[in-house]
């Protein structure tokens, strides 16, 4: 068995093992601080130790892999951070987050001798919004950006505060004690640069028969809650012309949103992903409705324009139907450029290694985006997703492509740390 085959087997075995830590099946369900998340956290730390690394948790449960000689918390020397997220959505595949975490772990073990710019791997506690509706809290924690008040006011759907959920994980040895002061999760390492490897979750690479995507730009997003109020009346006796049906208005808004995003063309996307209907009876005209709409685009002016058009359409539809409408825009995320210098270096390296690749934008938010936004030169790398399927048990990337991504991450990290050595 050649070295490439060994690498494939090792990575695949690790992915299978990590995928086993799940709240039920099908697929992988591993919400942050849940029981399977804690078990996976312990398993990752033990796997890191088997590879000769130390594993250190920060105060919100991010897990960092590093050479045992390094002292977390001293912030010196600066490091190359490499990793992705440990949590998943409900019924996720084996690769989302896990692939980037395990590839980073193997790369960190391989390059643990780097002195001038040491490599530190990470499994961020949460990259998904599934539990706390927070954007990439793990990456913000790695940068020391979490505020104390957030831990108390952020709650999951069951009303459990972030602080309380975190205590559960801490009691199980998956998080360090909180620090005093306004920022209770201090950064353990200072990142000079950051790399993240992830599955594409789209079909662009596959359609162009490429093995690697070098991401230069991450799309921004805007979110709107649209509250519609009509009139809940008995359905059996209210003639059609007298109705003020909040759900029928929402249905028109959903289709208008879809139409506008299609017309704007790629990479614009818009999604109505939340719909709540009151009172929810067969025989009552829906009197109230809440709709959640998200718009994404890689270019800020286009993002602003499309969001405004969706808002205008929703208002016009409500007016036509005699429906009262209140729209709340929640704080959005601006599109962010990843490091142009790293993208050029990665492009050159991929050409040298003869890996079919392209530069591209990402429609999905990732930990790399948080680092880039904080001024850390960062790069996101994609491997193809079969049929573009992700966040599903059917998520699949060919083993040879997974190995290519891992090898590329290793060689890029080697090149970066050699350049600094
Ligand atoms: Zn992910």
């Amino acid at each position: 068995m050649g070295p490439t085959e060994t690498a494939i087997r090792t990575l695949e075995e690790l992915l299978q093992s990590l995928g086993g830590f799940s709240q039920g099946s099908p697929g992988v369900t591993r919400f942050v601080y849940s029981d399977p998340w804690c078990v996976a956290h312990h398993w990752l730390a033990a796997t890191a130790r088997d590879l000769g690394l130390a594993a250190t948790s920060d105060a919100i449960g991010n897990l960092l892999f590093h050479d045992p000689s390094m002292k977390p918390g001293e912030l010196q020397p600066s490091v190359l951070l490499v990793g992705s997220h440990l949590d998943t959505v409900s019924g996720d595949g084996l690769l989302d987050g896990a692939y980037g975490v395990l590839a980073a772990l193997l790369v960190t073990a391989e390059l643990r001798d780097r002195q001038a710019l040491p490599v530190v791997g990470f499994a961020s506690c949460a990259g998904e919004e599934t539990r706390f509706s927070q954007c990439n809290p793990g990456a913000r924690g790695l940068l020391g950006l979490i505020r104390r008040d957030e831990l108390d006011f952020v709650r999951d759907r069951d009303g459990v505060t972030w602080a309380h959920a975190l205590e559960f994980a801490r009691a199980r040895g998956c998080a360090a004690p909180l620090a005093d002061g306004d920022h209770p999760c201090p950064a353990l390492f200072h990142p000079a640069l950051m790399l993240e490897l992830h599955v594409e979750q789209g079909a662009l690479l596959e359609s162009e028969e490429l093995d690697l995507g070098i991401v230069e730009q991450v799309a921004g997003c805007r979110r709107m809650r649209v509250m519609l109020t009509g009139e809940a009346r008995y359905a059996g006796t209210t003639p059609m012309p007298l109705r003020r049906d909040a759900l029928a208005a929402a249905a028109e808004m959903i289709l208008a949103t879809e139409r506008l995003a299609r017309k704007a063309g790629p990479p614009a996307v818009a999604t109505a992903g939340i719909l709540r209907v009151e009172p929810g009876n067969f025989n009552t005209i829906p009197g109230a409705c809440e709709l959640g709409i998200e718009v994404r685009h890689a270019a800020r002016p286009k993002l602003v324009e499309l969001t405004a058009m969706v808002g205008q359409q929703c208002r016009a539809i409500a007016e036509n139907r005699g429906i009262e409408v209140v729209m709340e825009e929640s704080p959005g995320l601006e599109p962010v450029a990843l490091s142009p210098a790293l993208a050029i270096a990665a492009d050159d390296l991929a050409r040298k290694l003869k890996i079919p690749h392209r530069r591209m934008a990402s429609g999905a938010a990732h930990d790399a985006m948080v680092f880039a936004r904080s001024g850390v030169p960062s790069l996101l790398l994609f491997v193809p997703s079969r049929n573009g399927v992700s966040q599903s048990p059917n998520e699949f990337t060919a083993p040879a492509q997974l190995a290519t991504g891992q090898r590329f991450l290793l060689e890029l990290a080697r090149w970066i740390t050699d350049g600094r050595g």
Side-chain angles (χ1 to χ4, degrees), residues 85 96-97 128 198 201 366:
H85 60 97
D96 183 4
E128 305 290 358
H198 203 281
Q201 306 180 287
H366 290 284

Side-chain angles (χ1 to χ4, degrees), residues 218-418:
V218 180
C221 90
R222 293 284 189 275
R223 289 177 174 178
M224 285 178 284
R225 277 186 189 278
V226 186
M227 269 78 72
L228 300 98
T229 309
E231 195 178 6
R233 288 172 61 167
Y234 180 47
T237 54
T238 310
M240 300 310 284
L242 296 185
R243 295 177 178 220
R244 291 167 60 224
D245 184 329
L247 178 57
E252 256 194 73
M253 292 175 188
I254 293 168
L255 294 177
T257 300
E258 187 187 46
R259 216 164 26 242
L260 286 168
R262 278 177 195 260
K263 202 172 153 206
V269 290
T271 311
I274 298 173
L275 181 62
R276 296 194 183 96
V277 184
E278 294 289 335
N281 297 329
F282 271 114
N283 60 357
T284 312
I285 297 161
C289 205
E290 183 186 333
L291 188 59
I293 298 175
E294 185 192 80
V295 179
R296 295 191 188 210
H297 204 292
R300 190 174 184 278
K302 300 277 183 194
L303 177 66
V304 171
E305 185 187 15
L306 182 55
T307 307
M309 282 162 69
V310 169
Q312 278 162 16
Q313 277 283 321
C314 289
R315 277 191 200 89
I317 290 164
E319 201 180 318
N320 268 339
R321 287 175 163 271
I323 300 285
E324 287 164 37
V325 66
V326 177
M327 303 184 63
E328 279 176 11
E329 196 174 319
S330 51
L333 286 172
E334 299 305 324
V336 64
L338 301 177
S339 163
L342 282 176
I344 290 167
D347 203 329
D348 288 348
L349 184 62
R351 204 170 300 122
K352 212 155 73 186
L353 296 172
K354 298 190 167 47
I355 299 172
H357 67 285
R358 66 166 288 157
R359 299 208 209 169
M360 60 189 292
S362 167
H366 290 284
D367 286 347
M369 175 190 83
V370 178
F371 284 88
R373 198 165 276 133
S374 293
V376 179
S378 306
L379 195 65
L380 179 60
L381 302 167
F382 282 160
V383 293
S385 298
R386 186 177 64 188
N387 298 326
V389 172
S390 182
Q391 302 201 331
S392 150
N394 297 326
E395 185 178 70
F396 180 82
T397 301
Q401 290 175 322
L402 291 176
T404 297
Q406 184 200 349
R407 181 170 67 106
F408 186 76
L409 183 70
L410 172 66
E411 292 309 323
L412 184 59
R414 197 195 299 278
W415 178 84
I416 290 169
T417 52
D418 273 349

